[in-house]
Amino acid sequence: RCTESEAAQMLNDKEIIALLPGSREQEVEKMLSLMLWVRDFFKNYQFVIAGAPSLSKEFYQKFVDDDVHFVSNKTYDLLRCSKAALVTSGTATLETALLNVPEIVCYRTSTISYEIGKRVVKNIKFISLVNLIMDREIVKELIQKELNTENLVTELQKILEGQKRDEML
């Protein structure tokens, strides 16, 4: 878990919801915009963006304010201090799970890319490494149209407190 010095670096006393929006500029732009939809529903938490090493700190500034913070090159420290995470599908989903942080896997691409992908990749039930490895749903995957404010709020509430959180952990 989170050490006192790590916690002190996380800016305030509110519990943390980590945002891991990917590593490519276009992907991060789209995913952070979607992930930040929920912040008005979770005023008692702070949101902290894990910056990708490939992108500059300046790139993230348009997303940062009093309730949304940014860390760079400290993703594991951030996750250890987090109550939950919103994670773009990829390796980060497995890393988040291995650090024992409840998460929601978020993914949206262009409609045409998604439709092509569905036709090329058949018989795969999941997109997150966590669920693929376990061959069952451990973490909620919100993909394409399912990735909306209502679903994000509902699923995030489930993993912040209660039975779903306990089951996931």
Side-chain angles (χ1 to χ4, degrees):
R1 286 313 306 165
C2 187
T3 67
E4 277 188 48
S5 64
E6 288 170 334
Q9 292 176 350
M10 293 298 153
L11 309 167
N12 68 38
D13 292 332
K14 292 180 180 179
E15 290 184 295
I16 295 169
I17 297 172
L19 305 176
L20 283 72
S23 58
R24 294 180 308 277
E25 188 171 314
Q26 185 176 1
E27 172 186 56
V28 171
E29 183 98 31
K30 179 187 297 182
M31 295 311 299
L32 266 179
S33 296
L34 297 171
M35 291 173 173
L36 287 171
W37 285 344
V38 302
R39 63 193 252 190
D40 288 340
F41 297 89
F42 298 94
K43 295 282 190 187
N44 294 330
Y45 293 87
Q46 64 176 310
F47 290 82
V48 182
I49 301 165
S54 58
L55 300 175
S56 71
K57 182 178 180 180
E58 292 73 31
F59 169 78
Y60 292 96
Q61 288 310 303
K62 61 186 160 229
F63 300 103
V64 175
D65 62 26
D66 291 342
D67 298 316
V68 180
H69 306 286
F70 171 81
V71 296
S72 184
N73 296 317
K74 295 183 185 219
T75 301
Y76 294 157
D77 294 340
L78 169 61
L79 286 170
R80 278 194 294 274
C81 294
S82 297
K83 178 91 175 191
L86 303 179
V87 186
T88 297
S89 182
T91 308
T93 63
L94 184 57
E95 294 169 327
T96 302
L98 291 171
L99 288 168
N100 210 32
V101 179
E103 65 184 288
I104 299 166
V105 177
C106 304
Y107 191 74
R108 187 183 287 177
T109 188
S110 71
T111 303
I112 193 158
S113 294
Y114 180 72
E115 291 301 323
I116 291 169
K118 273 189 357 184
R119 285 165 176 73
V120 172
V121 181
K122 297 181 189 247
N123 300 323
I124 293 185
K125 298 182 275 188
F126 307 108
I127 65 165
S128 76
L129 291 172
V130 177
N131 293 343
L132 287 167
I133 290 168
M134 298 303 292
D135 196 31
R136 65 186 174 98
E137 185 180 84
I138 302 295
V139 299
K140 185 67 175 179
E141 298 178 356
L142 296 178
I143 304 166
Q144 293 302 99
K145 292 179 184 171
E146 290 180 355
L147 180 56
N148 59 51
T149 304
E150 182 180 347
N151 289 341
L152 269 174
V153 169
T154 299
E155 295 303 326
L156 190 51
Q157 286 170 334
K158 288 179 185 178
I159 65 170
L160 287 171
E161 304 292 337
Q163 182 180 348
K164 179 70 175 172
R165 178 183 178 78
D166 295 340
E167 288 171 5
M168 192 179 293
L169 288 171

Coordinates of all heavy atoms in Angstrom, one line a residue, residues 100-154:
N100 N -3.4 -4.5 -6.8 CA -4.6 -4.7 -5.9 C -5.5 -3.5 -5.8 O -6.0 -3.1 -4.8 CB -4.2 -5.2 -4.6 CG -5.3 -6.1 -3.9 OD1 -6.0 -6.8 -4.6 ND2 -5.4 -6.0 -2.6
V101 N -5.6 -2.8 -7.0 CA -6.5 -1.6 -7.1 C -7.7 -1.9 -7.9 O -7.6 -2.3 -9.0 CB -5.7 -0.4 -7.7 CG1 -6.6 0.8 -7.8 CG2 -4.5 -0.1 -6.9
P102 N -8.9 -1.8 -7.3 CA -10.1 -2.0 -8.1 C -10.2 -1.0 -9.3 O -9.8 0.1 -9.1 CB -11.3 -1.7 -7.1 CG -10.6 -1.9 -5.8 CD -9.2 -1.5 -5.9
E103 N -10.6 -1.5 -10.4 CA -10.5 -0.7 -11.6 C -11.7 -0.9 -12.5 O -12.4 -1.9 -12.5 CB -9.3 -1.0 -12.4 CG -9.2 -2.4 -13.0 CD -7.9 -2.8 -13.7 OE1 -7.7 -2.2 -14.8 OE2 -7.2 -3.6 -13.1
I104 N -11.9 0.1 -13.4 CA -12.9 -0.1 -14.5 C -12.0 0.1 -15.8 O -11.3 1.1 -15.9 CB -14.0 1.0 -14.5 CG1 -14.8 0.9 -13.2 CG2 -14.9 0.9 -15.7 CD1 -15.7 2.1 -12.9
V105 N -12.2 -0.8 -16.7 CA -11.5 -0.7 -18.0 C -12.3 0.1 -18.9 O -13.5 -0.2 -19.1 CB -11.2 -2.1 -18.5 CG1 -10.5 -2.0 -19.9 CG2 -10.3 -2.9 -17.5
C106 N -11.7 1.1 -19.5 CA -12.4 2.0 -20.4 C -11.8 2.0 -21.8 O -10.6 2.0 -21.9 CB -12.3 3.5 -19.9 SG -12.9 3.7 -18.2
Y107 N -12.6 1.9 -22.8 CA -12.1 1.9 -24.2 C -13.1 2.4 -25.2 O -14.2 1.9 -25.2 CB -11.6 0.5 -24.6 CG -10.8 0.6 -25.9 CD1 -9.5 1.1 -25.8 CD2 -11.3 0.2 -27.1 CE1 -8.7 1.3 -27.0 CE2 -10.5 0.3 -28.2 CZ -9.3 0.8 -28.2 OH -8.5 1.0 -29.3
R108 N -12.7 3.3 -26.0 CA -13.5 3.8 -27.1 C -12.6 4.1 -28.3 O -11.6 4.8 -28.1 CB -14.4 5.0 -26.7 CG -15.4 5.3 -27.8 CD -16.2 6.5 -27.5 NE -17.2 6.3 -26.5 CZ -18.0 7.2 -26.0 NH1 -17.9 8.5 -26.4 NH2 -18.9 6.9 -25.1
T109 N -13.0 3.7 -29.4 CA -12.3 4.0 -30.6 C -13.3 4.4 -31.7 O -14.5 4.5 -31.4 CB -11.4 2.8 -31.1 OG1 -10.6 3.2 -32.2 CG2 -12.3 1.6 -31.6
S110 N -12.8 4.7 -32.9 CA -13.8 5.1 -33.9 C -14.7 3.9 -34.2 O -14.3 2.8 -34.1 CB -13.0 5.5 -35.2 OG -12.4 4.4 -35.8
T111 N -15.9 4.2 -34.6 CA -16.9 3.2 -34.9 C -16.4 2.2 -36.0 O -16.5 1.0 -35.9 CB -18.2 3.8 -35.4 OG1 -18.6 4.7 -34.3 CG2 -19.3 2.8 -35.6
I112 N -15.7 2.8 -37.0 CA -15.3 1.9 -38.1 C -14.1 1.0 -37.6 O -14.1 -0.2 -37.9 CB -14.8 2.7 -39.4 CG1 -14.7 1.8 -40.5 CG2 -13.6 3.5 -39.1 CD1 -14.8 2.4 -41.9
S113 N -13.2 1.5 -36.8 CA -12.1 0.7 -36.3 C -12.7 -0.4 -35.4 O -12.3 -1.6 -35.4 CB -11.2 1.5 -35.5 OG -10.5 2.4 -36.3
Y114 N -13.7 -0.1 -34.6 CA -14.3 -1.1 -33.7 C -15.0 -2.2 -34.5 O -14.9 -3.3 -34.2 CB -15.3 -0.4 -32.8 CG -16.0 -1.3 -31.8 CD1 -15.3 -1.9 -30.7 CD2 -17.3 -1.6 -32.0 CE1 -15.9 -2.7 -29.9 CE2 -18.0 -2.5 -31.1 CZ -17.3 -3.1 -30.1 OH -17.9 -3.9 -29.2
E115 N -15.8 -1.8 -35.5 CA -16.5 -2.8 -36.3 C -15.5 -3.7 -37.1 O -15.8 -4.9 -37.2 CB -17.5 -2.0 -37.3 CG -18.6 -1.4 -36.6 CD -19.5 -2.3 -35.8 OE1 -19.7 -3.5 -36.2 OE2 -20.0 -2.0 -34.7
I116 N -14.5 -3.1 -37.6 CA -13.4 -3.9 -38.3 C -12.8 -4.9 -37.3 O -12.7 -6.1 -37.5 CB -12.4 -3.1 -39.0 CG1 -13.0 -2.3 -40.2 CG2 -11.2 -3.9 -39.4 CD1 -12.1 -1.2 -40.7
G117 N -12.5 -4.4 -36.1 CA -11.9 -5.2 -35.1 C -12.8 -6.4 -34.7 O -12.3 -7.5 -34.5
K118 N -14.0 -6.1 -34.5 CA -15.0 -7.2 -34.1 C -15.0 -8.3 -35.1 O -15.2 -9.4 -34.8 CB -16.4 -6.6 -34.0 CG -16.7 -6.0 -32.6 CD -18.1 -5.6 -32.3 CE -19.1 -5.7 -33.4 NZ -20.5 -5.2 -33.1
R119 N -14.9 -7.9 -36.4 CA -15.0 -8.9 -37.5 C -13.7 -9.7 -37.6 O -13.7 -10.9 -38.0 CB -15.4 -8.3 -38.8 CG -16.8 -7.9 -38.8 CD -17.2 -6.9 -39.9 NE -18.6 -6.6 -40.0 CZ -19.3 -5.9 -39.2 NH1 -18.7 -5.3 -38.1 NH2 -20.6 -5.6 -39.3
V120 N -12.6 -9.1 -37.3 CA -11.3 -9.7 -37.4 C -11.0 -10.6 -36.2 O -10.5 -11.7 -36.3 CB -10.1 -8.7 -37.5 CG1 -8.8 -9.3 -37.5 CG2 -10.3 -7.9 -38.9
V121 N -11.3 -10.1 -35.0 CA -11.0 -10.9 -33.8 C -12.4 -11.5 -33.3 O -13.2 -10.8 -32.8 CB -10.5 -9.9 -32.7 CG1 -10.2 -10.7 -31.4 CG2 -9.2 -9.2 -33.2
K122 N -12.5 -12.8 -33.5 CA -13.8 -13.4 -33.1 C -13.5 -14.3 -31.9 O -12.4 -14.7 -31.6 CB -14.3 -14.3 -34.3 CG -14.6 -13.4 -35.5 CD -15.1 -14.3 -36.7 CE -15.2 -13.4 -37.9 NZ -16.5 -13.2 -38.4
N123 N -14.6 -14.6 -31.2 CA -14.6 -15.5 -30.1 C -13.7 -15.0 -28.9 O -13.2 -15.8 -28.2 CB -14.2 -16.9 -30.5 CG -15.1 -17.5 -31.6 OD1 -16.3 -17.3 -31.5 ND2 -14.6 -18.2 -32.5
I124 N -13.6 -13.7 -28.8 CA -12.9 -13.2 -27.6 C -13.9 -12.5 -26.8 O -14.6 -11.6 -27.3 CB -11.7 -12.3 -28.0 CG1 -10.6 -13.1 -28.7 CG2 -11.1 -11.6 -26.8 CD1 -9.4 -12.4 -29.0
K125 N -14.1 -12.9 -25.6 CA -15.1 -12.4 -24.7 C -14.7 -11.1 -24.0 O -15.6 -10.3 -23.6 CB -15.5 -13.4 -23.6 CG -16.1 -14.7 -24.1 CD -16.4 -15.6 -23.0 CE -15.2 -16.4 -22.5 NZ -15.5 -17.4 -21.6
F126 N -13.4 -10.8 -23.9 CA -13.0 -9.7 -23.1 C -11.9 -8.9 -23.9 O -11.2 -9.5 -24.7 CB -12.4 -10.1 -21.8 CG -13.4 -11.0 -21.0 CD1 -13.2 -12.3 -20.8 CD2 -14.5 -10.4 -20.4 CE1 -14.1 -13.1 -20.1 CE2 -15.5 -11.1 -19.7 CZ -15.3 -12.5 -19.6
I127 N -11.6 -7.7 -23.4 CA -10.5 -6.9 -24.0 C -9.4 -6.7 -23.0 O -8.3 -6.4 -23.3 CB -10.9 -5.6 -24.6 CG1 -11.5 -4.6 -23.6 CG2 -11.8 -5.8 -25.8 CD1 -11.5 -3.2 -24.1
S128 N -9.7 -6.8 -21.7 CA -8.7 -6.5 -20.6 C -7.9 -7.7 -20.3 O -8.4 -8.8 -20.3 CB -9.3 -5.9 -19.4 OG -10.0 -7.0 -18.7
L129 N -6.6 -7.5 -20.1 CA -5.7 -8.7 -19.8 C -6.2 -9.4 -18.5 O -6.1 -10.6 -18.4 CB -4.3 -8.2 -19.6 CG -3.6 -7.7 -20.9 CD1 -2.3 -7.1 -20.6 CD2 -3.5 -8.9 -21.9
V130 N -6.7 -8.6 -17.5 CA -7.2 -9.2 -16.3 C -8.3 -10.3 -16.6 O -8.2 -11.4 -16.2 CB -7.8 -8.2 -15.3 CG1 -8.3 -8.8 -14.1 CG2 -6.7 -7.1 -15.0
N131 N -9.3 -9.9 -17.3 CA -10.4 -10.8 -17.6 C -10.0 -11.9 -18.6 O -10.4 -13.0 -18.5 CB -11.6 -10.0 -18.2 CG -12.2 -9.1 -17.2 OD1 -12.0 -9.2 -16.0 ND2 -13.0 -8.1 -17.7
L132 N -9.1 -11.6 -19.5 CA -8.6 -12.6 -20.5 C -7.8 -13.7 -19.7 O -8.0 -14.9 -20.0 CB -7.7 -12.0 -21.5 CG -8.4 -11.2 -22.6 CD1 -7.5 -10.4 -23.4 CD2 -9.3 -12.1 -23.5
I133 N -7.0 -13.3 -18.8 CA -6.2 -14.3 -18.0 C -7.1 -15.1 -17.1 O -6.9 -16.4 -17.1 CB -5.1 -13.6 -17.2 CG1 -4.0 -13.0 -18.1 CG2 -4.5 -14.5 -16.1 CD1 -3.1 -12.0 -17.4
M134 N -8.1 -14.5 -16.5 CA -9.0 -15.2 -15.6 C -10.1 -16.0 -16.3 O -10.8 -16.8 -15.8 CB -9.6 -14.3 -14.6 CG -8.5 -13.6 -13.7 SD -7.5 -14.8 -12.8 CE -8.8 -15.5 -11.7
D135 N -10.3 -15.6 -17.6 CA -11.4 -16.2 -18.4 C -12.7 -16.0 -17.8 O -13.6 -16.8 -17.9 CB -11.1 -17.7 -18.7 CG -12.0 -18.2 -19.9 OD1 -12.3 -17.4 -20.8 OD2 -12.4 -19.4 -19.9
R136 N -12.9 -14.9 -17.2 CA -14.2 -14.5 -16.6 C -14.1 -13.0 -16.3 O -13.0 -12.4 -16.2 CB -14.6 -15.3 -15.4 CG -13.7 -15.1 -14.2 CD -14.2 -16.1 -13.1 NE -13.3 -16.0 -12.0 CZ -13.5 -15.3 -10.8 NH1 -14.6 -14.6 -10.7 NH2 -12.6 -15.3 -9.9
E137 N -15.3 -12.3 -16.1 CA -15.2 -10.9 -15.8 C -14.8 -10.7 -14.3 O -15.6 -11.0 -13.4 CB -16.6 -10.3 -16.0 CG -16.5 -8.7 -15.9 CD -17.8 -8.0 -16.1 OE1 -18.6 -8.0 -15.2 OE2 -18.0 -7.6 -17.2
I138 N -13.7 -10.1 -14.1 CA -13.2 -9.7 -12.8 C -13.4 -8.2 -12.7 O -13.9 -7.6 -11.8 CB -11.7 -10.0 -12.6 CG1 -11.5 -11.5 -12.8 CG2 -11.2 -9.5 -11.3 CD1 -12.1 -12.4 -11.7
V139 N -12.9 -7.5 -13.8 CA -13.1 -6.0 -13.8 C -14.1 -5.6 -14.9 O -14.2 -6.3 -15.9 CB -11.7 -5.3 -14.1 CG1 -10.7 -5.6 -13.0 CG2 -11.2 -5.7 -15.5
K140 N -14.9 -4.6 -14.6 CA -15.9 -4.2 -15.6 C -15.2 -3.5 -16.8 O -14.3 -2.7 -16.6 CB -16.8 -3.2 -14.9 CG -18.0 -2.8 -15.8 CD -18.9 -3.9 -16.0 CE -20.1 -3.5 -16.8 NZ -21.0 -4.6 -17.1
E141 N -15.6 -3.9 -18.0 CA -15.2 -3.3 -19.2 C -16.3 -2.4 -19.8 O -17.4 -3.0 -20.1 CB -14.8 -4.4 -20.2 CG -13.7 -5.3 -19.7 CD -13.4 -6.4 -20.7 OE1 -14.0 -6.5 -21.8 OE2 -12.4 -7.2 -20.5
L142 N -16.0 -1.2 -19.9 CA -16.9 -0.3 -20.6 C -16.3 0.1 -21.9 O -15.4 0.8 -22.0 CB -17.2 1.0 -19.7 CG -17.9 0.7 -18.4 CD1 -18.0 2.0 -17.6 CD2 -19.2 0.1 -18.5
I143 N -17.0 -0.4 -23.0 CA -16.4 -0.3 -24.3 C -17.4 0.4 -25.2 O -18.6 0.1 -25.2 CB -16.1 -1.7 -24.9 CG1 -15.2 -2.5 -23.9 CG2 -15.5 -1.6 -26.3 CD1 -15.1 -4.0 -24.2
Q144 N -16.9 1.3 -26.1 CA -17.7 2.0 -27.1 C -18.9 2.7 -26.4 O -18.7 3.5 -25.5 CB -18.1 1.1 -28.2 CG -17.0 0.6 -29.1 CD -16.2 1.7 -29.7 OE1 -15.1 2.0 -29.2 NE2 -16.6 2.2 -30.8
K145 N -20.1 2.4 -26.8 CA -21.3 3.1 -26.3 C -21.5 2.9 -24.8 O -22.2 3.7 -24.2 CB -22.5 2.7 -27.1 CG -22.4 3.2 -28.6 CD -23.6 2.8 -29.4 CE -23.5 3.3 -30.8 NZ -24.5 2.7 -31.7
E146 N -21.0 1.7 -24.3 CA -21.2 1.5 -22.9 C -20.4 2.4 -22.0 O -20.6 2.6 -20.8 CB -20.8 0.0 -22.5 CG -21.7 -1.0 -23.1 CD -21.3 -2.4 -22.7 OE1 -20.2 -2.6 -22.1 OE2 -22.0 -3.3 -23.0
L147 N -19.4 3.0 -22.6 CA -18.5 4.0 -21.9 C -19.2 5.4 -21.9 O -19.1 6.2 -22.9 CB -17.1 4.1 -22.5 CG -16.1 5.1 -21.9 CD1 -15.9 4.8 -20.4 CD2 -14.8 5.1 -22.7
N148 N -20.1 5.6 -20.9 CA -20.8 6.8 -20.8 C -20.9 7.2 -19.3 O -20.5 6.4 -18.5 CB -22.2 6.7 -21.4 CG -23.0 5.6 -20.8 OD1 -23.2 5.6 -19.5 ND2 -23.6 4.7 -21.6
T149 N -21.3 8.4 -19.1 CA -21.3 9.0 -17.7 C -22.1 8.1 -16.8 O -21.6 7.7 -15.7 CB -21.8 10.4 -17.7 OG1 -21.1 11.2 -18.6 CG2 -21.7 11.0 -16.3
E150 N -23.3 7.7 -17.1 CA -24.1 6.9 -16.3 C -23.5 5.6 -15.9 O -23.4 5.3 -14.7 CB -25.5 6.6 -17.0 CG -26.4 5.9 -16.1 CD -27.8 5.6 -16.8 OE1 -28.0 6.2 -17.8 OE2 -28.5 4.8 -16.3
N151 N -22.9 4.9 -16.8 CA -22.3 3.6 -16.5 C -21.0 3.8 -15.7 O -20.7 3.0 -14.8 CB -22.0 2.8 -17.8 CG -23.2 2.3 -18.5 OD1 -24.3 2.2 -17.9 ND2 -23.1 2.0 -19.7
L152 N -20.2 4.8 -16.1 CA -19.0 5.1 -15.3 C -19.3 5.4 -13.8 O -18.7 4.9 -12.9 CB -18.2 6.3 -15.9 CG -17.2 5.9 -16.9 CD1 -16.6 7.2 -17.5 CD2 -16.1 5.1 -16.4
V153 N -20.3 6.2 -13.6 CA -20.7 6.6 -12.2 C -21.2 5.3 -11.5 O -20.7 5.1 -10.3 CB -21.8 7.7 -12.2 CG1 -22.4 7.9 -10.8 CG2 -21.2 9.0 -12.7
T154 N -22.1 4.6 -12.1 CA -22.6 3.4 -11.5 C -21.5 2.4 -11.1 O -21.4 1.9 -10.0 CB -23.6 2.7 -12.4 OG1 -24.7 3.6 -12.6 CG2 -24.2 1.4 -11.8

